[in-house]
Amino acid sequence: MAQQPQLHFPILIFTSIFVISFSSFIRPPHPFDPLTESEFKLIRNIIKKKYPVGPTHRFTFQYVGLNEPDKSGVLSWHLSLHHNVTPPPRQAFVIARENRKTREIVVDFSSRAIVSDIIRVGHGNPMLTIDEQEVATELVLKFKPFRQSIRRRGLEVSEVVVTSSTMGWFGEKDTDRLIKTIPFYLNGSVNTYLRPIEGMTIIVNLEKMKVTTFKDRFMGPLPKANGTEYRFSKLKPPFGPTLKNSIFLQPNGPGFKIDGHVVRFYIFWVIHVEIKYYSPVLLKIIILNNLKFSYTKIFQEYKLKKNTNIYNFQNNDYINKNYIMWRHTEAEVPGLEITEVRPDVSLVARMVTTVGNYDYIVDYEFKPSGAIKMEVGLTGVLEVKPVEYVHTSEIKEDDIHGTIVADNTVGVNHDHFVTYRLDLDIDGTENSFVRTELVTKRTPKSVKTPRKSYWTTNRKTVKTEAEARVKLGLRAEELMVVNPNRLTKHGNEVGYRLFPGPVSGTLMAHDDYPQIRGAFTNYNVWITLYNKSEVWASGLYADRSQGDDTLAVWSQRNREIEKKDIVMWYTVGFHHVPCQEDFPTMPTLSSGFELRPANFFEQNPVLKTKPIKLSSAPKCTPKNGY
Amino acid sequence: MAQQPQLHFPILIFTSIFVISFSSFIRPPHPFDPLTESEFKLIRNIIKKKYPVGPTHRFTFQYVGLNEPDKSGVLSWHLSLHHNVTPPPRQAFVIARENRKTREIVVDFSSRAIVSDIIRVGHGNPMLTIDEQEVATELVLKFKPFRQSIRRRGLEVSEVVVTSSTMGWFGEKDTDRLIKTIPFYLNGSVNTYLRPIEGMTIIVNLEKMKVTTFKDRFMGPLPKANGTEYRFSKLKPPFGPTLKNSIFLQPNGPGFKIDGHVVRFYIFWVIHVEIKYYSPVLLKIIILNNLKFSYTKIFQEYKLKKNTNIYNFQNNDYINKNYIMWRHTEAEVPGLEITEVRPDVSLVARMVTTVGNYDYIVDYEFKPSGAIKMEVGLTGVLEVKPVEYVHTSEIKEDDIHGTIVADNTVGVNHDHFVTYRLDLDIDGTENSFVRTELVTKRTPKSVKTPRKSYWTTNRKTVKTEAEARVKLGLRAEELMVVNPNRLTKHGNEVGYRLFPGPVSGTLMAHDDYPQIRGAFTNYNVWITLYNKSEVWASGLYADRSQGDDTLAVWSQRNREIEKKDIVMWYTVGFHHVPCQEDFPTMPTLSSGFELRPANFFEQNPVLKTKPIKLSSAPKCTPKNGY
């Protein structure tokens, strides 16, 4: 069966936050800065007073994070000289389970009090914690019928790894907090996901913390351990290809500065970076447009499932692929031979997140020209299905829904969709979405020309959310977010243009349950009215949700979006029909898109960049770990 | 009027070849090696004997290059151990104008003789030489009515630059060798193309070398010189942004070796590089698949118009954007925390060609994993149209077919299409083109599942050229070239898969004259049967051609292409609605596509790559110019 991975099921726990939290710092925090360690302690103390935790009173933190302040408060703080305006109140947002109810609690730090505490009603459960998933899988490993089923297969229980997966929703009325567990067999392999033990259905109720469903349906083949190794220390020669080392050096230091969670990169970029614990990464990007001395802000948020395990700004800027920022050779001027070249130097913020078998590499590339490139790379290990076959000639079915990538191993066809929330505020919050269609025209007979056609632009400012839904690839169209109140000196609306990448849309029927929940992939681009609570394309309570709080549902409201505070949504999609090269680890496959200033600056903003003189580099000594 | 730049008008002369030719080398040439200096001399001597050039007998070399040997001869030479098979005969192909006739002459080097000499008939003229274009523009500068028209505009003739442009074809029967010339005004600017002097039609007959048409139709506005400067030495402060220098070092040397025109990069890549003088660059890529000890070959050709002015292999490999070749973090194995990461090291072959106002950056990126990324970057200077306006509020027309990018300056809407000829020979020349559609299926009612749909693959080996024409973006589809005779050990057909980039198709009506000639943009992807003479998508005689020798015409033959020697064509397209950031030079805008092995290797070919130890770098001293 073709599979669609279940994205958007963030799993975080209170305790894990301490592990990855940033060290505290003294200067007053930026309003967007994530919670500090002392703030976390304060939250726990304040909530403990109201909800004493004990054997008879269950209380668990499912999520704890900054209660993001209202945009207007942050903006006025930002725009003020030396930030001498009172910042918006600093608060925490907590999702907790208390005696089988979900609570949304807001803690205010200045008053050290709970200022809001409501019981949440509606479909969907809060995100699972790592703790409860670990307890659930340990439970299964000790569950007698499960151990019997493993032994009945001739396998050693001590070599079994049990992983967990969210249940999804397939039309059930009852959406208890259940979790599906899946056993894999190590026994000579550390490539867990390539040796699934098939045939069992094992479901744990997380509230009762009990195995509530266990079915041993059939016994299937088990792929071999041989060939699944990928640790260099355990692989056997011959090795290769042997890559030659490359080193980046910046003899005069990097082009960016980090101040707490704020990163400054040349004149245009002020980037606020944090790991949003609820999701892998959140960037708030502020462009200070020095040419116009006006203010522009781009929020940008990004969501993947589960935990983030690597996150860093590159140690260096880099001359990106020896990219050329701009160049021109001019040979027409008598007596002159002009060649002007400016190499490009970008800053990349990278986040890598492992989601079970897959590893996602998420890059934000900031260019001095004001462009931002977003890229997602997929690597890691395939999701596979054991089969009896080792060769295509043995296949009996019409369709194995994948590719034989190794002995007894089918790499299963699947999709990846990564949705970006792009809260662009171009020179203020009052923005519009402009669709400019490029249309073919026949030349009128009245015009004396041998030409039969030309193309022209049909520029349309979009009025409603419904008109802003875009399926890419069907027609030639330019998509822009503009501020119609701000014009360049030549009268063009200031804006940013979306340059889509390769196009991929959903292949599921719209009435299929996973697609109802993943309806944010029904279009490639959406615009919604800014709403503080409409942040996650799949909804805040994604676990077992019924798709009633997705981007598609918000768009159905069909609000007016002209000259409004609007949010752009873009989905990068991949359909993956595996090939043998993807086994046992998969070479990275990337896709993405770009946002470029379009009449945002009065002219080429990097025209007056000084050429880099590579010859002026002083002596350099790469250090260990550099 | 919307404009479509006239691509595919290579302009080269015999003499210029010496300037950019590679230095001679001693070892016997590779059959694909370009002509050497001594071979050029030999050609001239041999042809001079037959055609004595003098005042009464005009003879000009329009093109001189290698007469590409038959593929079979090259292949058997390649496949032989130590190349001990006789290489195919080495010959030159010459296109000449002799007393107003076009001749195609083949010179054989071993016999030192002309082995073929035919008069070429048919539409279209041979490529123009730089010499004749220069003579033509000098002629115009001395042409009295032209000088009077310049003075009538109050302009100085000494500050006028005249450039030339091919005429195109708009249904005329008479397609003499004419050239259109266009005047620009310097007078304080060196950014030639931003100050067009409008209103004159000036056509030179290249055979008679006379101005045959001169019309002064109207006097238009002239954009200012102010603001067009882009030379760093002439710009005034404030400068910025000031980029920090970045240096690449490879302490253990590069990962590639250059041997004449052959570049070897790790085990997989053997790349034959030359400037095809007729076109900017030609790469012949040979993949030696060490895993299978079998032979694979990919030809790849690329054509742009006019002359190439920069061409180099990067001095270094580089860790591309700190790309990750593959990675995986595994947290599920008890007692182990595994993270394996391999940085990617690519080799980029770059060619930069300036075509009048525009600069094209053409990159071929070779990855150790066997993937090839093709990218075109556009930069340089816009084509502009003078207008009276400085602000959008002054516009009187319905449509100015562009954007006001500076005072009195409209950046004109236009397109760029760059067509790649990809002569893939996957494990031999008998290949097939496979279109695999990803199709949505309703789950049958007989199947007990709450799921309503799934997707599956509809794999179809394409029979004919007509079925192989692809408009991208309309449906979910995977495109591959495979060798159906060669299977992996699991029975999959070995192949390479095309990963398209952003999609752009033509906007011109198919019966419009420029589109008849540029009909190769009617589809994004085509497959044709290999034919030695079907190399240039716009035909070999592109100047004033009538579109009867284009890729579209060859495809109309609708030949059978299953298990045949086939060629894939891919067009990278850009529709460009300019913005103010594009003035006075344009930040690079890039697009491209990728070819990746798909069941070409038995498994991940870079699995056993050694991790790069950055800490082992010895002391290093960047040298001047490094």
Side-chain angles (χ1 to χ4, degrees):
Chain A
M1 173 69 69
Q3 300 226 353
Q4 194 176 18
Q6 293 149 316
L7 287 179
H8 307 291
F9 297 91
I11 296 163
L12 282 152
I13 51 160
F14 190 52
T15 51
S16 76
I17 293 167
F18 290 105
V19 180
I20 51 170
S21 82
F22 286 84
S23 60
S24 57
F25 43 89
I26 296 144
R27 63 170 184 78
H30 187 285
F32 285 142
D33 277 0
L35 299 179
T36 62
E37 199 170 322
S38 58
E39 285 172 333
F40 277 120
K41 283 179 185 160
L42 195 57
I43 296 160
R44 190 156 54 181
N45 290 338
I46 291 165
I47 290 182
K48 255 188 176 173
K49 277 179 204 161
K50 184 167 178 183
Y51 298 103
V53 181
T56 58
H57 194 97
R58 290 189 61 193
F59 188 97
T60 55
F61 290 95
Q62 306 292 129
Y63 170 74
V64 181
L66 182 75
N67 190 33
E68 197 165 295
D70 282 339
K71 206 194 254 193
S72 59
V74 182
L75 285 178
S76 56
W77 179 84
H78 247 306
L79 289 168
S80 63
L81 202 64
H82 308 304
H83 301 319
N84 52 7
V85 159
T86 311
R90 195 160 165 84
Q91 300 182 328
F93 179 69
V94 175
I95 299 175
R97 286 289 284 178
E98 187 245 343
N99 280 349
R100 303 197 179 171
K101 290 189 288 287
T102 297
R103 287 192 172 275
E104 292 179 346
I105 302 169
V106 177
V107 175
D108 185 78
F109 288 113
S110 61
S111 61
R112 301 185 164 230
I114 291 172
V115 292
S116 169
D117 182 356
I118 56 166
I119 291 173
R120 196 253 165 189
V121 289
H123 296 303
N125 301 321
M127 50 293 280
L128 283 61
T129 69
I130 291 174
D131 278 351
E132 59 192 5
Q133 289 179 85
E134 282 181 357
V135 172
T137 55
E138 281 162 26
L139 212 67
V140 170
L141 275 170
K142 288 175 193 156
F143 188 64
K144 271 190 187 166
F146 173 74
R147 296 173 74 91
Q148 282 163 5
S149 285
I150 293 295
R151 280 192 289 263
R152 206 152 55 82
R153 283 164 167 79
L155 306 178
E156 301 283 335
V157 174
S158 61
E159 293 294 323
V160 173
V161 161
V162 176
T163 69
S164 61
S165 169
T166 47
M167 288 287 294
W169 172 70
F170 300 94
E172 307 93 326
K173 275 194 182 155
D174 174 15
T175 53
D176 279 354
R177 294 183 67 237
L178 305 180
I179 199 168
K180 198 166 62 181
T181 68
I182 307 157
F184 294 90
Y185 203 52
L186 297 177
N187 202 36
S189 177
V190 296
N191 204 334
T192 313
Y193 295 93
L194 291 183
R195 306 194 75 198
I197 303 169
E198 282 215 314
M200 285 175 272
T201 302
I202 320 154
I203 294 168
V204 176
N205 183 310
L206 292 174
E207 294 296 328
K208 297 175 185 161
M209 223 19 120
K210 273 187 187 166
V211 178
T212 48
T213 304
F214 181 82
K215 287 182 203 159
D216 191 348
R217 296 165 1 252
F218 64 90
M219 292 204 286
L222 182 71
K224 284 179 259 179
N226 196 18
T228 64
E229 186 60 76
Y230 60 96
R231 290 168 299 175
F232 182 71
S233 60
K234 305 291 177 186
L235 287 167
K236 294 198 175 65
F239 295 107
T242 304
L243 307 184
K244 292 300 179 88
N245 197 357
S246 297
I247 300 167
F248 294 98
L249 292 173
Q250 291 200 282
N252 309 315
F256 63 89
K257 279 182 189 147
I258 297 178
D259 176 19
H261 289 270
V262 172
V263 181
R264 287 182 176 80
F265 180 56
Y266 302 123
I267 53 165
F268 302 128
W269 294 112
V270 178
I271 305 155
H272 186 274
V273 186
E274 69 174 295
I275 299 172
K276 183 89 173 168
Y277 301 109
Y278 186 78
S279 74
V281 73
L282 172 91
L283 296 182
K284 294 189 179 65
I285 302 157
I286 296 130
I287 302 182
L288 285 166
N289 175 356
N290 280 19
L291 289 180
K292 293 194 293 183
F293 294 101
S294 67
Y295 172 83
T296 298
K297 189 158 188 303
I298 298 180
F299 287 111
Q300 184 174 305
E301 301 199 0
Y302 174 80
K303 191 186 181 193
L304 265 179
K305 85 170 170 178
K306 275 194 180 169
N307 54 314
T308 298
N309 64 356
I310 293 183
Y311 176 74
N312 70 301
F313 261 77
Q314 299 295 336
N315 285 328
N316 303 61
D317 324 336
Y318 58 94
I319 298 184
N320 177 1
K321 204 181 173 179
N322 285 343
Y323 265 131
I324 294 174
M325 186 191 265
W326 62 265
R327 83 176 306 286
H328 185 54
T329 293
E330 183 55 69
E332 301 288 355
V333 181
L336 275 180
E337 175 73 59
I338 302 170
T339 293
E340 292 278 328
V341 184
R342 300 292 177 278
D344 212 349
V345 179
S346 298
L347 175 67
V348 175
R350 167 167 293 172
M351 191 273 304
V352 179
T353 183
T354 299
V355 187
N357 52 315
Y358 255 100
D359 297 57
Y360 293 85
I361 300 159
V362 182
D363 284 348
Y364 293 85
E365 181 180 345
F366 301 95
K367 299 188 180 185
S369 64
I372 319 171
K373 258 194 168 173
M374 265 62 72
E375 202 165 75
V376 192
L378 310 183
T379 176
V381 178
L382 285 176
E383 187 174 319
V384 302
K385 183 176 68 173
V387 290
E388 309 157 34
Y389 321 130
V390 299
H391 196 277
T392 53
S393 59
E394 303 164 54
I395 297 172
K396 293 174 203 86
E397 302 98 314
D398 283 345
D399 192 347
I400 57 166
H401 300 289
T403 308
I404 301 179
V405 293
D407 288 354
N408 308 117
T409 308
V410 164
V412 180
N413 297 341
H414 61 279
D415 300 326
H416 302 260
F417 293 106
V418 179
T419 299
Y420 291 76
R421 175 177 182 266
L422 306 159
D423 178 4
L424 287 86
D425 294 328
I426 312 286
D427 253 1
T429 54
E430 225 172 74
N431 287 183
S432 294
F433 180 53
V434 174
R435 298 178 72 159
T436 301
E437 199 179 356
L438 312 185
V439 285
T440 305
K441 297 266 189 188
R442 299 295 297 186
T443 48
K445 288 198 174 152
S446 55
V447 179
K448 203 186 147 196
T449 171
R451 288 295 300 273
K452 308 279 174 71
S453 69
Y454 63 100
W455 65 260
T456 187
T457 52
N458 194 350
R459 194 178 196 273
K460 200 175 120 193
T461 300
V462 176
K463 305 282 183 205
T464 63
E465 287 175 320
E467 288 170 34
R469 296 175 203 141
V470 182
K471 280 190 185 171
L472 294 166
L474 303 181
R475 56 187 198 175
E477 192 174 39
E478 295 197 348
L479 305 175
M480 278 178 65
V481 174
V482 302
N483 186 332
N485 306 316
R486 309 261 182 166
L487 304 181
T488 64
K489 66 181 177 188
H490 300 300
N492 298 306
E493 291 177 357
V494 302
Y496 256 72
R497 188 179 150 200
L498 172 72
F499 285 75
V503 179
S504 250
T506 183
L507 292 165
M508 294 293 107
H510 284 204
D511 63 343
D512 201 0
Y513 296 108
Q515 191 59 31
I516 291 170
R517 306 173 69 222
F520 49 88
T521 63
N522 290 353
Y523 293 88
N524 306 108
V525 180
W526 313 66
I527 300 282
T528 58
L529 207 58
Y530 172 82
N531 182 330
K532 205 184 141 181
S533 71
E534 294 173 2
V535 174
W536 311 113
S538 54
L540 180 59
Y541 293 89
D543 178 49
R544 312 213 68 195
S545 78
Q546 302 191 12
D548 49 16
D549 186 32
T550 70
L551 170 55
V553 172
W554 310 331
S555 171
Q556 278 302 332
R557 295 181 195 163
N558 204 14
R559 295 164 288 192
E560 293 193 357
I561 55 169
E562 198 181 350
K563 290 196 186 182
K564 292 279 166 64
D565 190 356
I566 55 175
V567 174
M568 179 186 271
W569 304 79
Y570 183 90
T571 297
V572 176
F574 300 84
H575 300 301
H576 191 181
V577 177
C579 57
Q580 286 182 226
E581 284 81 355
D582 298 337
F583 185 93
T585 60
M586 175 189 163
T588 307
L589 178 66
S590 297
S591 186
F593 65 103
E594 192 173 354
L595 289 171
R596 287 168 72 98
N599 302 314
F600 181 83
F601 298 111
E602 294 288 356
Q603 62 165 24
N604 179 353
V606 285
L607 176 72
K608 291 170 92 175
T609 298
K610 288 189 185 184
I612 293 175
K613 284 180 191 162
L614 290 172
S615 57
S616 68
K619 280 198 180 190
C620 58
T621 308
K623 284 170 197 153
N624 270 9
Y626 195 15
Chain B
M1 173 70 68
Q3 299 228 353
Q4 193 177 18
Q6 293 149 317
L7 285 180
H8 308 287
F9 297 91
I11 296 163
L12 282 153
I13 51 159
F14 192 50
T15 50
S16 75
I17 292 167
F18 290 105
V19 180
I20 51 168
S21 81
F22 286 82
S23 59
S24 57
F25 42 90
I26 296 143
R27 61 166 188 81
H30 185 286
F32 284 142
D33 276 1
L35 300 177
T36 63
E37 197 169 324
S38 58
E39 285 172 333
F40 277 119
K41 284 180 183 158
L42 195 58
I43 296 161
R44 191 156 51 182
N45 290 338
I46 291 166
I47 289 181
K48 257 187 174 173
K49 278 180 203 158
K50 184 165 178 186
Y51 298 104
V53 182
T56 58
H57 192 96
R58 288 189 61 193
F59 187 96
T60 55
F61 290 95
Q62 306 292 129
Y63 169 75
V64 182
L66 182 75
N67 190 33
E68 197 165 296
D70 282 338
K71 206 194 255 195
S72 59
V74 182
L75 283 180
S76 57
W77 178 84
H78 247 303
L79 289 169
S80 63
L81 203 65
H82 308 304
H83 301 321
N84 52 7
V85 159
T86 312
R90 196 160 164 84
Q91 298 182 331
F93 179 69
V94 175
I95 300 174
R97 286 288 286 178
E98 187 244 340
N99 280 350
R100 303 200 179 169
K101 287 189 290 289
T102 297
R103 287 191 173 274
E104 292 179 344
I105 303 169
V106 176
V107 175
D108 185 79
F109 289 112
S110 61
S111 62
R112 300 183 166 235
I114 292 170
V115 291
S116 168
D117 182 355
I118 57 167
I119 291 172
R120 197 254 165 186
V121 289
H123 298 304
N125 301 322
M127 50 294 281
L128 284 62
T129 70
I130 291 175
D131 278 351
E132 58 193 6
Q133 289 178 85
E134 282 181 357
V135 172
T137 54
E138 280 161 26
L139 212 66
V140 172
L141 275 170
K142 288 174 193 154
F143 188 65
K144 271 192 186 162
F146 173 74
R147 297 173 73 90
Q148 283 162 4
S149 285
I150 292 296
R151 279 191 290 264
R152 206 152 53 83
R153 285 165 167 77
L155 306 178
E156 301 283 337
V157 174
S158 60
E159 293 294 324
V160 173
V161 162
V162 176
T163 69
S164 61
S165 169
T166 47
M167 287 288 291
W169 173 69
F170 301 93
E172 307 93 326
K173 275 194 184 156
D174 173 16
T175 53
D176 278 356
R177 294 184 68 240
L178 305 180
I179 198 168
K180 198 166 62 181
T181 68
I182 307 156
F184 295 89
Y185 203 51
L186 296 177
N187 201 38
S189 178
V190 296
N191 202 336
T192 313
Y193 295 93
L194 291 183
R195 306 194 74 197
I197 303 169
E198 284 216 314
M200 286 175 270
T201 302
I202 320 152
I203 294 168
V204 176
N205 184 311
L206 293 173
E207 295 297 328
K208 298 175 185 161
M209 222 20 118
K210 270 186 188 166
V211 177
T212 48
T213 303
F214 181 83
K215 286 180 202 159
D216 191 348
R217 297 167 358 255
F218 65 90
M219 292 205 286
L222 182 70
K224 284 178 258 179
N226 196 17
T228 65
E229 185 61 76
Y230 60 96
R231 290 169 298 175
F232 181 71
S233 61
K234 305 291 177 187
L235 287 167
K236 294 199 174 67
F239 295 108
T242 304
L243 306 185
K244 291 300 179 86
N245 197 355
S246 296
I247 300 166
F248 293 97
L249 293 172
Q250 290 199 282
N252 308 315
F256 63 89
K257 280 182 189 146
I258 298 178
D259 176 20
H261 289 272
V262 173
V263 180
R264 285 180 179 81
F265 180 56
Y266 303 122
I267 54 167
F268 303 126
W269 295 111
V270 179
I271 307 154
H272 187 274
V273 187
E274 70 174 296
I275 299 174
K276 183 88 174 171
Y277 302 110
Y278 185 79
S279 74
V281 74
L282 172 90
L283 295 183
K284 294 189 180 67
I285 300 158
I286 294 131
I287 301 182
L288 285 166
N289 174 356
N290 281 18
L291 289 179
K292 294 193 291 182
F293 295 102
S294 67
Y295 172 83
T296 297
K297 188 160 188 304
I298 297 180
F299 287 111
Q300 186 175 304
E301 300 198 359
Y302 175 79
K303 190 187 183 192
L304 266 178
K305 82 171 171 178
K306 277 195 178 167
N307 52 316
T308 297
N309 64 357
I310 292 185
Y311 176 75
N312 70 302
F313 260 78
Q314 300 295 335
N315 285 329
N316 303 61
D317 324 334
Y318 60 94
I319 299 184
N320 176 0
K321 203 180 174 180
N322 285 343
Y323 264 133
I324 294 174
M325 186 190 264
W326 61 264
R327 83 176 307 285
H328 186 52
T329 293
E330 184 55 69
E332 301 287 354
V333 181
L336 276 179
E337 175 75 59
I338 302 170
T339 293
E340 293 279 326
V341 184
R342 300 294 175 277
D344 213 349
V345 179
S346 299
L347 175 68
V348 175
R350 167 167 293 173
M351 190 272 304
V352 179
T353 183
T354 299
V355 187
N357 52 315
Y358 255 100
D359 297 57
Y360 294 85
I361 301 158
V362 182
D363 285 348
Y364 293 85
E365 179 181 345
F366 301 96
K367 299 190 182 187
S369 65
I372 319 171
K373 259 194 166 171
M374 265 62 74
E375 201 166 76
V376 192
L378 311 182
T379 176
V381 177
L382 286 176
E383 188 174 319
V384 302
K385 183 175 69 174
V387 290
E388 309 158 34
Y389 321 129
V390 299
H391 196 275
T392 52
S393 58
E394 303 164 55
I395 298 173
K396 294 177 202 81
E397 302 98 312
D398 284 344
D399 192 347
I400 56 167
H401 300 288
T403 308
I404 302 180
V405 294
D407 288 354
N408 308 115
T409 307
V410 164
V412 180
N413 297 342
H414 61 280
D415 299 325
H416 302 259
F417 293 106
V418 179
T419 299
Y420 290 77
R421 175 177 182 267
L422 306 159
D423 179 4
L424 287 87
D425 295 328
I426 311 286
D427 252 2
T429 54
E430 225 173 72
N431 287 182
S432 293
F433 180 53
V434 174
R435 298 179 73 159
T436 301
E437 199 180 354
L438 311 187
V439 285
T440 305
K441 297 267 188 185
R442 298 296 297 186
T443 49
K445 287 200 177 152
S446 57
V447 179
K448 204 188 146 196
T449 172
R451 289 295 300 272
K452 308 278 175 69
S453 70
Y454 62 100
W455 64 261
T456 188
T457 54
N458 194 350
R459 194 177 195 275
K460 200 174 121 192
T461 299
V462 175
K463 306 281 182 205
T464 63
E465 287 176 320
E467 290 169 34
R469 295 173 203 142
V470 181
K471 281 190 184 169
L472 294 167
L474 304 181
R475 57 186 196 175
E477 193 173 39
E478 295 197 349
L479 305 174
M480 279 178 66
V481 174
V482 301
N483 186 331
N485 306 315
R486 309 260 182 167
L487 305 181
T488 65
K489 66 180 175 187
H490 300 301
N492 298 306
E493 291 177 356
V494 304
Y496 256 72
R497 190 179 149 198
L498 172 71
F499 285 76
V503 178
S504 251
T506 181
L507 292 166
M508 294 292 108
H510 284 204
D511 64 342
D512 201 1
Y513 296 108
Q515 191 58 31
I516 291 170
R517 305 171 70 223
F520 49 88
T521 63
N522 291 353
Y523 293 89
N524 306 106
V525 181
W526 313 67
I527 300 283
T528 58
L529 207 58
Y530 173 84
N531 183 331
K532 205 184 140 179
S533 72
E534 294 173 2
V535 173
W536 312 114
S538 54
L540 180 60
Y541 293 88
D543 178 50
R544 312 212 70 195
S545 78
Q546 302 191 12
D548 49 15
D549 187 31
T550 70
L551 170 55
V553 172
W554 311 330
S555 171
Q556 279 301 331
R557 295 180 194 163
N558 204 13
R559 295 162 288 192
E560 292 192 359
I561 55 171
E562 198 180 352
K563 290 195 186 184
K564 292 278 167 63
D565 190 358
I566 56 175
V567 174
M568 179 186 272
W569 304 78
Y570 183 91
T571 297
V572 176
F574 300 83
H575 301 300
H576 191 179
V577 177
C579 56
Q580 285 181 227
E581 284 82 354
D582 299 336
F583 185 93
T585 60
M586 175 188 161
T588 307
L589 178 66
S590 298
S591 187
F593 65 103
E594 192 173 354
L595 289 171
R596 287 168 71 97
N599 303 314
F600 182 82
F601 298 111
E602 293 289 356
Q603 62 164 26
N604 179 353
V606 285
L607 177 72
K608 290 170 94 176
T609 298
K610 288 189 187 186
I612 293 175
K613 284 181 190 160
L614 291 172
S615 57
S616 68
K619 281 198 178 192
C620 59
T621 308
K623 285 169 196 153
N624 270 9
Y626 194 17

